[in-house]
Amino acid sequence: MPFIATTDEERAEMLAEIGVERIEDLFLDVPELFRYPPMNLPEPLSELEAIRDLGSLAGANESGEDLSSFIGAGAYHHFSPSVVNFLAGRSEFYSAYTPYQAEVSQGTLQAIFEYQTMIAALTGMDVANASHYDGATATAEAVIMALNMARGRRKRIVLSPTVNAQYREVVRTYTQGMDLDIVGDGDLDNDFHALIDLCNDDTAIVVVQNPDFLGQLHSPAEMQDLANAVHAAGAVLAVAVDLISLGLFTPPGDYGADIVMGEGQSLGNAISFGGPYLGFFAMRQKDVRRSAGRIAGETVDADDNTGYVLTLNTREQHIRRGRATSNICTNQAWNALMASIYLAVMGKHGLRSVAEQCYHKAHYAAARINELDGFEVLGSRPFFKEFVIRCPVDVSDLKDYLLTEWGVLPGYDLTGDYPDLGQCLLVCVTEMNSRQEIDDLVEALTQAASVLTVEVVV
Amino acid sequence: MIEPTVYEISSPGRTGPRLPELDVPEAPLPEGYVRDAEQLPLPELSELDVVRHFVRLSQKNMSIDTNFYPLGSCTMKYNPKVNELTAGLAGFAQIHPLQDTDLVQGAMQLMFELQVYLAEISGFDAVTLQPAAGAQGELAGVLMMRKYHLDRGDNKRKKILVPDSAHGTNPASTTMSGLEVVELPSDDRGNLDLAALKENLDETVVGLMLTNPNTLGLFEEHILEVTRLVHDSGGLVYGDGANLNAIVGICKPAELGIDVMHFNLHKTFSTPHGGGGPGAGPVGVVEKLASFLPGPLVALEAIVDEEPGLPFLAGPLAEEGPTDLHRLVWYTPSKSIGRVRSFAGNFGVLVRAYTYIRMLGAEGLRRVAENAVLNANYLKARLQGEGSYPIAFSDRTCMHEFVAQGILEGASGVHTLDISKRLMDYGFHPPTVYFPLIVKEALMIEPTETESKEALDLFADALIAIAGEARTDPDLLHEAPHQAPVRRLDEVRAARQAIFCRR
């Protein structure tokens, strides 16, 4: 039997030591009627067969390697240097667990501490925790933290409509039993002024995204004004960000954010069909004790040498139980490790160049698409690596045509999230897209527009 | 040896990998938005600096691949390497979650089959793979129980009953759902106290959260009566699936009366724990709860069309399996509590668990439980036989784990913490300590099925030797560890000083 070391002979010796005759005798507490039920599963596979079978399932997908992709919308194709997987693949990292016993987990703990340090540095905040499940759950935990900061006395949550729709949905799922008043995201026209108008003395938090889900950047001055207004109302400002963009743009810590969170997948983590990802979460030092999730702290050992431990455990469910700030137990430590290695190896200069390439390539693509007849790049704000285009033809027909004829995935159809943005695609361009690919996209769009328009006319 | 941080080994001007030259014209940057490049507070390292740093860090960890790691409740079994290979296949690792479903039918078939296999293993009618961890599956489960009652117009129910031996996540998930926790005691055989259960069951109870086998390592002797009583009062039974490793293939939780349960794929199905995640926490439910599941799930398009309410009840289709004629689509049930995370789930973890289930099959999974329970009982017998360590409920057969106590005769002043730190010197990762809370000086030991008799014997020998040391030279324990990368760490200072970042 695979992965079981005990031989029949040893098993007999062990049963004798226990004092039972047969292994089945160990399960007498299980109601007899329901013991050893039939289980209809496929016949077991050898390793070779498993590799072949899984290989054929994997082969049935069209991956980023086969296609030219301009889909982002919350999950991003970025370059991950070879060392990231190589180092994270050290089995001393991936086959360890939560570092409950600090003395024999210094590798994991120091890696978490360095992750926290680099995330705090990048976001301009005082402290970061050891990760949440993903950007959406980090956003929900930001909302819950704000409720804790208001000691349950404030019940209104203001969400910007340009926060990722999945994040907003998760906020609603998490808080459905809390009797909250969640407002602001029903109308795409709700800009910062409208959000400020929605704040009252019952408001716990305002959540915005920068660059927002549609790729647009809000200036530090505009963000600072928002922060001032939110603080004047006695509420907390949470900003979801793209960490890669912070290689180039002013961090939220510089413009008054209280909580900065979002999706950290971009940092060295595979896109992997949606998971596992990691939510990063950064905050002010004074608020840490109201937050959820693991945190590693620096301390000393009996010889006064520096070491690291998990700390502030009294906030956590294994100690505080029903009064804990959240139920988080397992988080995304291995993904955070990958992000940590990514940031260490890309460093100050590397992250800057990734961010610059995203910016310049996205602007090149947007400019070329905007020149095409019938296509229009929407919005007048600066943007980072994503932008919205309105298409002259039906978006699903356009996508089919580009895929079939060109092997191109041109972007994310916005109709589902924003019915007002019909015929619109969210296009994402990163350092992974070469000029040739962008030129092909432009060519493909031109051709699609003419072919599909002709078909409509005929 | 102290390993400096990435900032301490940083040297101005050093760089890692280069990107290709920018092949498009530069666009002007918006004024007033840009961060000073020189001030970007990240380290500057060469690739080799980074490699040596992280390799050295890795060497400061104990892990399953280097040491016996009997961390109770965490099920630290061996992680087969083939899982890493399959999860890393480009056709899985490089697909975008928002690609059209026609382009990802292979990945969706894997998810569909995994939904079916987990349903078959547990006896449930439907399974969602969305939750990212056991605790998140638990939150989803409690929210579903809550919504089930509300949907029936039954809005008096506000309480969840939780045994005092439960994982801390149970009460925490309850509170997050806006419900009230009522703690129930255990009886003198380590079961849920039936009298206390009866006393608390009324029309205000949403349900009971039960870990079975429980965190004392014991199978609930009255499980059928417990689930019947809860159902009779109109409540639901939540099963904490953390201990499925002990009973996979031995019984199906749904057949015992559990209505909803999460699976910890990283425990029972051998996906690596990664230093504290990622895991995955799929949730299985009986039919009446299926329309509340968080989505998206994977469903057969033909069934969605035919039976829009119940396409996830895919049991009968398990035999046939998806074929070329079966197109798979995303499906969110009609009364769903909503999504609990972005996209469809921790897919990379799902691939690993799927690989494992396919390699073991029904018979292999049954052997997992048998050998996990055999190993635990053997270790328990050895420690009992030599009489050093009291064992909670020692007269009962344990399941895949048991709780010893660090209370050694003739060694007053020695605590579980000291014993666990001394185990490090012998090359073992300590067991879970001080949990469950209801056992004094708890040492919760879970060997798992992948350990050999030889490994168990060495561990038992070490614990017995340490008991001897505790009597003759207690300071050896108080000052332990002596062989670990650092000496004993000051946890109180860490909480008081609160240094979470250092540049």
Side-chain angles (χ1 to χ4, degrees), chain B residues 114-116 118-119 122 124-145 237-241 258-265 280-286 289-290 292-295 297 312 337 340 344 350:
Chain B
L114 185 58
Q115 287 171 192
V116 172
L118 292 176
S122 57
F124 289 109
D125 295 311
V127 172
T128 179
L129 303 176
Q130 200 185 49
Q136 203 189 31
E138 214 178 88
L139 175 65
V142 176
L143 290 172
M144 287 165 69
M145 287 161 68
V237 183
Y238 185 92
D240 181 327
I258 308 289
D259 299 298
V260 45
M261 183 188 95
H262 73 263
F263 301 81
N264 297 82
L265 296 190
V283 173
V285 290
V286 295
L289 288 170
F292 301 95
L293 285 167
L297 293 84
F312 31 78
I337 56 159
V340 293
L350 306 180

Short mmCIF file of all heavy atoms in Angstrom, two decimals, chain B residues 114-116 118-119 122 124-145 237-241 258-265 280-286 289-290 292-295 297 312 337 340 344 350:
data_model
loop_
_atom_site.label_atom_id
_atom_site.label_comp_id
_atom_site.label_asym_id
_atom_site.label_seq_id
_atom_site.Cartn_x
_atom_site.Cartn_y
_atom_site.Cartn_z
N LEU B 114 -13.44 15.46 -7.91
CA LEU B 114 -13.08 15.58 -6.49
C LEU B 114 -14.33 15.84 -5.64
O LEU B 114 -14.48 15.28 -4.55
CB LEU B 114 -12.04 16.69 -6.29
CG LEU B 114 -11.48 16.84 -4.88
CD1 LEU B 114 -10.82 15.56 -4.38
CD2 LEU B 114 -10.46 17.99 -4.81
N GLN B 115 -15.25 16.66 -6.14
CA GLN B 115 -16.54 16.86 -5.44
C GLN B 115 -17.23 15.51 -5.25
O GLN B 115 -17.73 15.20 -4.16
CB GLN B 115 -17.46 17.77 -6.27
CG GLN B 115 -17.08 19.24 -6.29
CD GLN B 115 -17.89 20.08 -7.30
OE1 GLN B 115 -17.52 21.20 -7.56
NE2 GLN B 115 -18.95 19.54 -7.86
N VAL B 116 -17.23 14.71 -6.32
CA VAL B 116 -17.91 13.41 -6.26
C VAL B 116 -17.19 12.46 -5.29
O VAL B 116 -17.83 11.79 -4.48
CB VAL B 116 -18.01 12.79 -7.67
CG1 VAL B 116 -18.53 11.36 -7.61
CG2 VAL B 116 -18.91 13.65 -8.57
N LEU B 118 -15.24 13.19 -2.73
CA LEU B 118 -15.39 13.59 -1.33
C LEU B 118 -16.80 13.26 -0.84
O LEU B 118 -16.99 12.84 0.32
CB LEU B 118 -15.08 15.08 -1.15
CG LEU B 118 -13.61 15.49 -1.38
CD1 LEU B 118 -13.45 17.01 -1.28
CD2 LEU B 118 -12.68 14.80 -0.37
N ALA B 119 -17.79 13.42 -1.71
CA ALA B 119 -19.16 13.06 -1.35
C ALA B 119 -19.25 11.56 -1.07
O ALA B 119 -19.87 11.11 -0.11
CB ALA B 119 -20.13 13.46 -2.46
N SER B 122 -17.57 10.56 2.26
CA SER B 122 -18.22 11.06 3.48
C SER B 122 -19.70 10.74 3.56
O SER B 122 -20.30 10.87 4.62
CB SER B 122 -18.05 12.58 3.53
OG SER B 122 -18.60 13.14 2.35
N PHE B 124 -22.01 12.43 1.92
CA PHE B 124 -22.84 13.62 1.69
C PHE B 124 -23.37 13.66 0.26
O PHE B 124 -22.88 12.97 -0.62
CB PHE B 124 -22.05 14.90 2.00
CG PHE B 124 -21.80 15.07 3.48
CD1 PHE B 124 -20.54 14.91 4.02
CD2 PHE B 124 -22.86 15.35 4.34
CE1 PHE B 124 -20.33 15.03 5.38
CE2 PHE B 124 -22.66 15.47 5.70
CZ PHE B 124 -21.39 15.32 6.22
N ASP B 125 -24.38 14.51 0.05
CA ASP B 125 -25.02 14.61 -1.25
C ASP B 125 -24.36 15.63 -2.16
O ASP B 125 -24.49 15.57 -3.38
CB ASP B 125 -26.49 15.00 -1.07
CG ASP B 125 -27.26 13.90 -0.36
OD1 ASP B 125 -27.14 12.74 -0.78
OD2 ASP B 125 -27.96 14.21 0.63
N ALA B 126 -23.71 16.64 -1.58
CA ALA B 126 -23.08 17.67 -2.40
C ALA B 126 -21.88 18.24 -1.66
O ALA B 126 -21.84 18.24 -0.43
CB ALA B 126 -24.08 18.79 -2.69
N VAL B 127 -20.91 18.69 -2.43
CA VAL B 127 -19.67 19.21 -1.86
C VAL B 127 -19.26 20.48 -2.61
O VAL B 127 -19.31 20.51 -3.83
CB VAL B 127 -18.52 18.17 -1.98
CG1 VAL B 127 -17.18 18.77 -1.57
CG2 VAL B 127 -18.81 16.93 -1.15
N THR B 128 -18.88 21.52 -1.87
CA THR B 128 -18.27 22.69 -2.49
C THR B 128 -16.78 22.67 -2.18
O THR B 128 -16.39 22.31 -1.06
CB THR B 128 -18.86 24.02 -1.98
OG1 THR B 128 -18.17 25.10 -2.63
CG2 THR B 128 -18.70 24.20 -0.48
N LEU B 129 -15.98 23.04 -3.16
CA LEU B 129 -14.52 23.04 -2.97
C LEU B 129 -14.01 24.44 -2.66
O LEU B 129 -12.82 24.66 -2.56
CB LEU B 129 -13.83 22.52 -4.23
CG LEU B 129 -14.24 21.13 -4.70
CD1 LEU B 129 -13.53 20.80 -6.02
CD2 LEU B 129 -13.91 20.07 -3.66
N GLN B 130 -14.91 25.42 -2.53
CA GLN B 130 -14.45 26.80 -2.46
C GLN B 130 -13.64 27.19 -1.21
O GLN B 130 -12.64 27.89 -1.34
CB GLN B 130 -15.62 27.78 -2.63
CG GLN B 130 -15.05 29.12 -3.02
CD GLN B 130 -16.05 30.23 -3.10
OE1 GLN B 130 -16.85 30.44 -2.21
NE2 GLN B 130 -15.98 30.94 -4.19
N PRO B 131 -14.04 26.79 -0.02
CA PRO B 131 -13.33 27.31 1.16
C PRO B 131 -11.82 27.06 1.15
O PRO B 131 -11.36 25.99 0.75
CB PRO B 131 -14.01 26.59 2.33
CG PRO B 131 -15.39 26.30 1.82
CD PRO B 131 -15.19 25.96 0.37
N ALA B 132 -11.08 28.05 1.61
CA ALA B 132 -9.62 28.03 1.50
C ALA B 132 -8.94 27.29 2.64
O ALA B 132 -7.75 27.02 2.58
CB ALA B 132 -9.10 29.47 1.45
N ALA B 133 -9.68 26.99 3.71
CA ALA B 133 -9.08 26.33 4.87
C ALA B 133 -10.19 25.72 5.68
O ALA B 133 -11.37 26.07 5.51
CB ALA B 133 -8.32 27.35 5.71
N GLY B 134 -9.82 24.82 6.59
CA GLY B 134 -10.83 24.18 7.43
C GLY B 134 -11.67 25.20 8.16
O GLY B 134 -12.90 25.11 8.20
N ALA B 135 -11.03 26.20 8.76
CA ALA B 135 -11.78 27.19 9.53
C ALA B 135 -12.73 27.97 8.63
O ALA B 135 -13.82 28.36 9.06
CB ALA B 135 -10.83 28.15 10.24
N GLN B 136 -12.33 28.18 7.38
CA GLN B 136 -13.24 28.89 6.48
C GLN B 136 -14.41 27.99 6.07
O GLN B 136 -15.54 28.46 5.93
CB GLN B 136 -12.50 29.42 5.26
CG GLN B 136 -13.27 30.58 4.66
CD GLN B 136 -12.76 31.05 3.33
OE1 GLN B 136 -12.23 30.28 2.53
NE2 GLN B 136 -12.93 32.33 3.07
N GLY B 137 -14.13 26.70 5.90
CA GLY B 137 -15.21 25.75 5.62
C GLY B 137 -16.20 25.74 6.78
O GLY B 137 -17.42 25.68 6.59
N GLU B 138 -15.65 25.82 7.97
CA GLU B 138 -16.46 25.84 9.18
C GLU B 138 -17.37 27.07 9.22
O GLU B 138 -18.56 26.97 9.51
CB GLU B 138 -15.48 25.91 10.34
CG GLU B 138 -15.87 25.21 11.56
CD GLU B 138 -14.76 25.37 12.58
OE1 GLU B 138 -14.76 26.34 13.33
OE2 GLU B 138 -13.87 24.51 12.59
N LEU B 139 -16.80 28.22 8.91
CA LEU B 139 -17.59 29.45 8.86
C LEU B 139 -18.71 29.30 7.83
O LEU B 139 -19.87 29.63 8.10
CB LEU B 139 -16.70 30.66 8.51
CG LEU B 139 -17.41 31.99 8.31
CD1 LEU B 139 -18.04 32.47 9.61
CD2 LEU B 139 -16.43 33.05 7.79
N ALA B 140 -18.35 28.77 6.65
CA ALA B 140 -19.36 28.56 5.61
C ALA B 140 -20.46 27.63 6.13
O ALA B 140 -21.65 27.89 5.93
CB ALA B 140 -18.70 27.97 4.36
N GLY B 141 -20.06 26.55 6.82
CA GLY B 141 -21.03 25.59 7.33
C GLY B 141 -21.98 26.22 8.33
O GLY B 141 -23.20 26.00 8.28
N VAL B 142 -21.44 27.00 9.24
CA VAL B 142 -22.29 27.62 10.26
C VAL B 142 -23.23 28.64 9.61
O VAL B 142 -24.42 28.72 9.96
CB VAL B 142 -21.44 28.27 11.38
CG1 VAL B 142 -22.32 28.99 12.38
CG2 VAL B 142 -20.61 27.21 12.09
N LEU B 143 -22.71 29.40 8.65
CA LEU B 143 -23.57 30.38 7.95
C LEU B 143 -24.70 29.65 7.21
O LEU B 143 -25.84 30.13 7.15
CB LEU B 143 -22.75 31.22 6.98
CG LEU B 143 -21.79 32.24 7.61
CD1 LEU B 143 -20.89 32.87 6.54
CD2 LEU B 143 -22.55 33.34 8.37
N MET B 144 -24.40 28.48 6.67
CA MET B 144 -25.43 27.70 5.97
C MET B 144 -26.50 27.20 6.94
O MET B 144 -27.69 27.22 6.64
CB MET B 144 -24.79 26.50 5.25
CG MET B 144 -23.99 26.89 4.03
SD MET B 144 -22.92 25.56 3.48
CE MET B 144 -24.15 24.42 2.90
N MET B 145 -26.05 26.74 8.10
CA MET B 145 -27.01 26.25 9.11
C MET B 145 -27.94 27.39 9.53
O MET B 145 -29.16 27.23 9.65
CB MET B 145 -26.25 25.72 10.34
CG MET B 145 -25.56 24.39 10.06
SD MET B 145 -24.24 23.99 11.26
CE MET B 145 -25.16 23.73 12.75
N VAL B 237 -26.59 19.10 12.75
CA VAL B 237 -25.31 18.68 13.34
C VAL B 237 -24.17 19.03 12.39
O VAL B 237 -24.15 18.59 11.24
CB VAL B 237 -25.29 17.17 13.64
CG1 VAL B 237 -23.97 16.80 14.33
CG2 VAL B 237 -26.47 16.79 14.51
N TYR B 238 -23.24 19.85 12.89
CA TYR B 238 -22.04 20.18 12.14
C TYR B 238 -20.94 19.22 12.54
O TYR B 238 -20.69 19.01 13.72
CB TYR B 238 -21.59 21.63 12.45
CG TYR B 238 -20.42 22.02 11.58
CD1 TYR B 238 -20.64 22.66 10.37
CD2 TYR B 238 -19.12 21.66 11.92
CE1 TYR B 238 -19.59 22.96 9.53
CE2 TYR B 238 -18.07 21.95 11.09
CZ TYR B 238 -18.31 22.60 9.90
OH TYR B 238 -17.26 22.87 9.05
N GLY B 239 -20.27 18.64 11.58
CA GLY B 239 -19.12 17.77 11.86
C GLY B 239 -17.83 18.50 11.54
O GLY B 239 -17.65 18.98 10.43
N ASP B 240 -16.96 18.62 12.52
CA ASP B 240 -15.63 19.18 12.27
C ASP B 240 -14.80 18.05 11.69
O ASP B 240 -14.52 17.06 12.35
CB ASP B 240 -15.05 19.67 13.61
CG ASP B 240 -13.67 20.30 13.46
OD1 ASP B 240 -12.90 19.86 12.58
OD2 ASP B 240 -13.36 21.21 14.24
N GLY B 241 -14.42 18.18 10.44
CA GLY B 241 -13.76 17.08 9.73
C GLY B 241 -12.28 16.96 9.97
O GLY B 241 -11.59 16.20 9.29
N ILE B 258 -24.52 13.31 10.59
CA ILE B 258 -23.92 14.64 10.42
C ILE B 258 -24.57 15.29 9.19
O ILE B 258 -24.75 14.64 8.15
CB ILE B 258 -22.39 14.54 10.20
CG1 ILE B 258 -21.72 13.68 11.28
CG2 ILE B 258 -21.76 15.91 10.07
CD1 ILE B 258 -21.65 14.28 12.64
N ASP B 259 -24.93 16.57 9.30
CA ASP B 259 -25.60 17.26 8.20
C ASP B 259 -24.65 18.06 7.33
O ASP B 259 -24.90 18.28 6.15
CB ASP B 259 -26.66 18.22 8.75
CG ASP B 259 -27.73 17.49 9.54
OD1 ASP B 259 -28.42 16.65 8.93
OD2 ASP B 259 -27.87 17.75 10.75
N VAL B 260 -23.59 18.55 7.95
CA VAL B 260 -22.63 19.37 7.19
C VAL B 260 -21.27 19.20 7.84
O VAL B 260 -21.15 19.10 9.07
CB VAL B 260 -23.09 20.86 7.16
CG1 VAL B 260 -23.57 21.35 8.50
CG2 VAL B 260 -21.99 21.79 6.64
N MET B 261 -20.23 19.13 6.99
CA MET B 261 -18.88 18.88 7.53
C MET B 261 -17.84 19.46 6.60
O MET B 261 -18.02 19.47 5.38
CB MET B 261 -18.67 17.36 7.63
CG MET B 261 -17.35 16.95 8.24
SD MET B 261 -17.08 15.15 8.11
CE MET B 261 -16.11 15.10 6.61
N HIS B 262 -16.76 19.97 7.17
CA HIS B 262 -15.66 20.40 6.29
C HIS B 262 -14.59 19.32 6.25
O HIS B 262 -14.47 18.51 7.18
CB HIS B 262 -15.08 21.74 6.75
CG HIS B 262 -14.24 21.65 7.99
ND1 HIS B 262 -14.73 21.95 9.24
CD2 HIS B 262 -12.94 21.31 8.17
CE1 HIS B 262 -13.76 21.79 10.14
NE2 HIS B 262 -12.68 21.39 9.51
N PHE B 263 -13.86 19.30 5.18
CA PHE B 263 -12.71 18.41 5.03
C PHE B 263 -11.45 19.28 5.12
O PHE B 263 -11.43 20.36 4.54
CB PHE B 263 -12.70 17.78 3.64
CG PHE B 263 -13.93 16.98 3.29
CD1 PHE B 263 -15.09 17.62 2.86
CD2 PHE B 263 -13.91 15.61 3.38
CE1 PHE B 263 -16.22 16.89 2.52
CE2 PHE B 263 -15.03 14.87 3.03
CZ PHE B 263 -16.19 15.51 2.61
N ASN B 264 -10.43 18.81 5.81
CA ASN B 264 -9.14 19.51 5.76
C ASN B 264 -8.27 18.73 4.78
O ASN B 264 -7.66 17.73 5.15
CB ASN B 264 -8.46 19.52 7.13
CG ASN B 264 -9.28 20.26 8.17
OD1 ASN B 264 -10.21 19.71 8.75
ND2 ASN B 264 -8.94 21.51 8.39
N LEU B 265 -8.23 19.20 3.54
CA LEU B 265 -7.49 18.41 2.53
C LEU B 265 -6.03 18.28 2.91
O LEU B 265 -5.38 17.29 2.60
CB LEU B 265 -7.62 19.06 1.15
CG LEU B 265 -9.03 19.09 0.56
CD1 LEU B 265 -8.97 19.53 -0.89
CD2 LEU B 265 -9.75 17.76 0.68
N ALA B 280 -7.02 23.58 2.33
CA ALA B 280 -8.28 23.74 1.60
C ALA B 280 -9.35 23.12 2.48
O ALA B 280 -9.09 22.10 3.12
CB ALA B 280 -8.23 23.06 0.24
N GLY B 281 -10.52 23.73 2.50
CA GLY B 281 -11.57 23.25 3.41
C GLY B 281 -12.90 23.02 2.74
O GLY B 281 -13.90 23.63 3.13
N PRO B 282 -12.96 22.11 1.74
CA PRO B 282 -14.25 21.80 1.11
C PRO B 282 -15.31 21.45 2.15
O PRO B 282 -14.97 20.99 3.25
CB PRO B 282 -13.93 20.58 0.25
CG PRO B 282 -12.49 20.68 -0.05
CD PRO B 282 -11.88 21.30 1.18
N VAL B 283 -16.57 21.68 1.78
CA VAL B 283 -17.67 21.40 2.70
C VAL B 283 -18.66 20.46 2.03
O VAL B 283 -19.07 20.70 0.89
CB VAL B 283 -18.39 22.71 3.11
CG1 VAL B 283 -19.63 22.41 3.94
CG2 VAL B 283 -17.45 23.60 3.91
N GLY B 284 -19.04 19.41 2.75
CA GLY B 284 -20.05 18.48 2.28
C GLY B 284 -21.34 18.68 3.05
O GLY B 284 -21.31 19.03 4.24
N VAL B 285 -22.46 18.47 2.38
CA VAL B 285 -23.76 18.65 3.04
C VAL B 285 -24.77 17.59 2.59
O VAL B 285 -24.64 17.02 1.51
CB VAL B 285 -24.40 20.03 2.71
CG1 VAL B 285 -23.65 21.16 3.36
CG2 VAL B 285 -24.50 20.25 1.21
N VAL B 286 -25.78 17.39 3.42
CA VAL B 286 -26.91 16.55 3.02
C VAL B 286 -27.82 17.39 2.11
O VAL B 286 -27.69 18.62 2.04
CB VAL B 286 -27.71 16.05 4.24
CG1 VAL B 286 -26.85 15.10 5.07
CG2 VAL B 286 -28.21 17.21 5.09
N LEU B 289 -29.44 20.92 2.67
CA LEU B 289 -28.60 22.10 2.81
C LEU B 289 -27.91 22.49 1.51
O LEU B 289 -27.22 23.51 1.43
CB LEU B 289 -27.54 21.86 3.89
CG LEU B 289 -28.06 21.83 5.33
CD1 LEU B 289 -26.96 21.34 6.28
CD2 LEU B 289 -28.54 23.21 5.76
N ALA B 290 -28.09 21.66 0.47
CA ALA B 290 -27.29 21.83 -0.74
C ALA B 290 -27.51 23.17 -1.43
O ALA B 290 -26.58 23.74 -2.00
CB ALA B 290 -27.55 20.68 -1.71
N PHE B 292 -27.75 25.93 -0.21
CA PHE B 292 -27.12 27.05 0.51
C PHE B 292 -25.60 27.10 0.32
O PHE B 292 -24.94 28.00 0.83
CB PHE B 292 -27.44 26.94 2.01
CG PHE B 292 -28.91 26.98 2.31
CD1 PHE B 292 -29.64 25.82 2.45
CD2 PHE B 292 -29.59 28.19 2.37
CE1 PHE B 292 -31.02 25.85 2.69
CE2 PHE B 292 -30.95 28.25 2.62
CZ PHE B 292 -31.67 27.07 2.78
N LEU B 293 -25.05 26.13 -0.38
CA LEU B 293 -23.59 26.04 -0.51
C LEU B 293 -22.98 27.29 -1.14
O LEU B 293 -23.56 27.87 -2.05
CB LEU B 293 -23.23 24.83 -1.39
CG LEU B 293 -23.35 23.45 -0.77
CD1 LEU B 293 -23.26 22.39 -1.86
CD2 LEU B 293 -22.28 23.22 0.29
N PRO B 294 -21.79 27.69 -0.66
CA PRO B 294 -21.09 28.77 -1.35
C PRO B 294 -20.60 28.27 -2.72
O PRO B 294 -20.19 27.12 -2.84
CB PRO B 294 -19.91 29.08 -0.43
CG PRO B 294 -19.70 27.87 0.39
CD PRO B 294 -21.03 27.18 0.49
N GLY B 295 -20.70 29.11 -3.70
CA GLY B 295 -20.27 28.72 -5.04
C GLY B 295 -19.18 29.63 -5.53
O GLY B 295 -18.80 30.55 -4.82
N LEU B 297 -19.62 26.09 -7.74
CA LEU B 297 -19.26 24.67 -7.78
C LEU B 297 -19.12 24.30 -9.25
O LEU B 297 -19.46 25.09 -10.14
CB LEU B 297 -20.38 23.81 -7.21
CG LEU B 297 -20.72 23.90 -5.74
CD1 LEU B 297 -21.66 25.03 -5.46
CD2 LEU B 297 -21.36 22.59 -5.29
N PHE B 312 -26.04 19.76 -8.32
CA PHE B 312 -24.85 19.33 -7.59
C PHE B 312 -25.03 17.97 -6.94
O PHE B 312 -24.14 17.43 -6.35
CB PHE B 312 -24.50 20.37 -6.52
CG PHE B 312 -25.72 21.05 -5.98
CD1 PHE B 312 -26.52 20.43 -5.06
CD2 PHE B 312 -26.08 22.30 -6.47
CE1 PHE B 312 -27.65 21.06 -4.60
CE2 PHE B 312 -27.23 22.92 -6.01
CZ PHE B 312 -28.01 22.30 -5.07
N ILE B 337 -25.14 31.04 0.46
CA ILE B 337 -24.74 32.05 1.44
C ILE B 337 -23.82 33.09 0.79
O ILE B 337 -23.51 34.10 1.40
CB ILE B 337 -23.99 31.43 2.64
CG1 ILE B 337 -22.78 30.61 2.16
CG2 ILE B 337 -24.93 30.60 3.50
CD1 ILE B 337 -21.73 30.38 3.22
N VAL B 340 -17.16 32.64 -0.48
CA VAL B 340 -16.35 32.90 0.71
C VAL B 340 -14.92 33.33 0.37
O VAL B 340 -14.17 33.72 1.26
CB VAL B 340 -16.30 31.68 1.68
CG1 VAL B 340 -17.68 31.43 2.28
CG2 VAL B 340 -15.77 30.44 0.99
N ALA B 344 -12.66 29.90 -7.47
CA ALA B 344 -13.39 28.69 -7.11
C ALA B 344 -12.79 27.88 -5.97
O ALA B 344 -13.43 26.97 -5.45
CB ALA B 344 -13.53 27.80 -8.34
N LEU B 350 -6.24 21.34 -4.33
CA LEU B 350 -7.21 20.34 -4.81
C LEU B 350 -6.52 19.31 -5.72
O LEU B 350 -6.82 18.11 -5.65
CB LEU B 350 -8.35 21.02 -5.57
CG LEU B 350 -9.10 22.14 -4.84
CD1 LEU B 350 -10.20 22.71 -5.74
CD2 LEU B 350 -9.69 21.66 -3.52
#
